[in-house]
Amino acid sequence: MTVKGRFAPTPSGRMHLGNLLSALLAWLDVRSVGGELVLRIEDLDTQRTSPDFAAQLMDDLRWLGLDWDEGGLEPEYMQSCRTAYYEDAFRALGERGLLYPCYCSRTERMAACAPHRDDGAVVYSGKCYHLTAAERQALEGQGRRPAWRVRCPDVTVALEDGNCGPYAENLAHDCGDFIVRRSDGVFAYQLAVVVDDALMGVNHVVRGRDLLCSAPRQAWLHEVLGYGPPRFFHTPLLLSPDGRRLAKRDRDLDMGALRERYTPQELTGLLAFYAGLMDRPEKVTAGELVRQFSWAKVPKNDVVVCIS
Ligand code: GLU
């Protein structure tokens, strides 16, 4: 079976070194086996994202020598234009009795949560699942608009991550009922990503390790919606020397600053070094890395970046 991967950035700012590492590894993962790559624009939240940022990140990827076979700024590959597909999946979940409205505000949500998970996320207690029809009606009468949650069963989803190894979560206890549609009607990442990966024929999902904890619920949604789950590969996160994760607001390590400072070959060498593909950062092109690429070389843990 042909490997079909994707890179799915959120165009909410300039990419940083960590985003580039995921992009390079997603690219190498498919190019090393003659597969195909989709570039999907994750602009569900139109308030926080813009086509200009998307155009910029496409230019940044090309500058680095990373190409893709389909996708980009075409409606079929932009989440903001794919609502009809999410509607269908949402309806299918509703028909299976898996959805319920949640009226909790952000503050109530935090209060209605069981202890925080290791990754800082919270497990929703299921408070609104237990509302009676009359209670729901009363809340609607007050003008409260609900978000929609999917009811998670008490099952453990175990998966074998292609980079990090075995990973398992009990959906009810470790994850909790999660939001698939926000109260403003916008579909949530967790639903959109599953629908898109399935409908785009993606079978390899390569992305940052911060999303490893999303993989079990996504694998489960794939099953519930009748799709075959993809294989997951979670890449190391890059940390600054003080232990913080790099973020888009770290302007000194965003693509604007990096392009002024490095040539594409120098930057690729630096990424290859962080990815465990080279012993030291030396000039290299993405194409030259294809033959020596192997997931066995890629670190399983976060990597501290020491460039000032
Ligand atoms: N859009 C997400 C991001 O930019 C990535 C989602 C994914 O790869 O599943 O962080």
Side-chain angles (χ1 to χ4, degrees):
M1 188 170 57
T2 306
V3 167
K4 193 165 185 187
R6 49 50 156 205
F7 180 52
T10 300
S12 59
R14 203 84 187 251
M15 287 188 293
H16 60 70
L17 211 55
N19 305 129
L20 297 173
L21 184 68
S22 295
L24 176 64
L25 288 170
W27 187 88
L28 287 170
D29 178 61
V30 302
R31 293 293 178 243
S32 61
V33 292
E36 293 168 14
L37 191 68
V38 175
L39 176 66
R40 183 168 68 235
I41 307 297
E42 300 219 318
D43 60 346
L44 277 176
D45 189 341
T46 50
Q47 305 288 315
R48 277 182 54 238
T49 60
S50 84
D52 289 346
F53 280 133
Q56 178 77 74
L57 73 85
M58 287 163 65
D59 184 63
D60 287 339
L61 291 171
R62 288 194 192 100
W63 178 85
L64 203 61
L66 304 181
D67 61 352
W68 52 93
D69 303 290
E70 44 180 293
L73 274 170
E74 291 171 36
E76 199 46 29
Y77 295 92
M78 297 172 69
Q79 289 190 325
S80 58
C81 302
R82 296 178 54 81
T83 309
Y85 300 113
Y86 312 143
E87 292 275 5
D88 286 348
F90 184 75
R91 201 172 314 116
L93 292 174
E95 282 164 8
R96 310 263 315 254
L98 287 167
L99 296 179
Y100 67 90
C102 173
Y103 297 87
C104 291
S105 65
R106 204 184 138 67
T107 328
E108 287 166 334
R109 229 165 34 226
M110 298 312 269
C113 284
H116 291 217
R117 302 157 42 126
D118 293 348
D119 61 9
V122 288
V123 178
Y124 182 64
S125 67
K127 179 172 176 241
C128 284
Y129 178 74
H130 302 286
L131 292 176
T132 63
E135 286 168 330
R136 281 180 189 166
Q137 225 173 355
L139 286 159
E140 295 274 345
Q142 292 165 18
R144 302 271 287 258
R145 288 288 152 263
W148 289 85
R149 286 184 188 270
V150 67
R151 182 71 174 161
C152 284
D154 184 359
V155 296
T156 297
V157 177
L159 50 94
E160 182 68 27
D161 186 88
N163 188 43
C164 301
Y167 182 75
E169 272 192 14
N170 177 290
L171 292 183
H173 301 128
D174 303 328
C175 169
D177 301 345
F178 55 94
I179 292 179
V180 287
R181 191 171 203 171
R182 300 185 341 195
S183 59
D184 60 4
V186 174
F187 287 100
Y189 158 72
Q190 301 292 353
L191 180 71
V193 77
V194 167
V195 171
D196 288 347
D197 283 338
L199 298 189
M200 292 177 185
V202 167
N203 50 27
H204 273 205
V205 167
V206 177
R207 59 186 180 193
R209 214 163 65 95
D210 51 325
L211 288 168
L212 179 58
C213 60
S214 287
R217 77 191 95 158
Q218 291 174 6
W220 176 73
L221 269 185
H222 273 278
E223 297 286 359
V224 169
L225 289 168
Y227 313 134
R231 180 120 204 255
F232 293 98
F233 300 77
H234 287 88
T235 64
L237 300 180
L238 298 185
L239 308 179
S240 60
D242 62 5
R244 268 183 323 108
R245 245 181 72 196
L246 298 186
K248 287 197 172 116
R249 60 179 181 281
D250 291 312
R251 300 305 280 270
D252 44 339
L253 290 180
D254 83 8
M255 246 330 224
L258 293 169
R259 276 177 73 159
E260 276 175 25
R261 196 161 153 186
Y262 299 103
T263 64
Q265 291 80 2
E266 285 168 346
L267 189 54
T268 306
L270 195 61
L271 292 168
F273 170 65
Y274 293 136
L277 305 177
M278 290 178 99
D279 296 338
R280 68 185 84 86
E282 277 172 4
K283 286 187 198 171
V284 69
T285 63
E288 285 162 352
L289 291 170
V290 169
R291 279 190 42 217
Q292 71 204 64
F293 174 71
S294 156
W295 280 106
K297 298 180 183 171
V298 179
K300 315 299 167 220
N301 298 316
D302 299 342
V303 175
V304 176
V305 172
C306 290
I307 47 176
S308 49

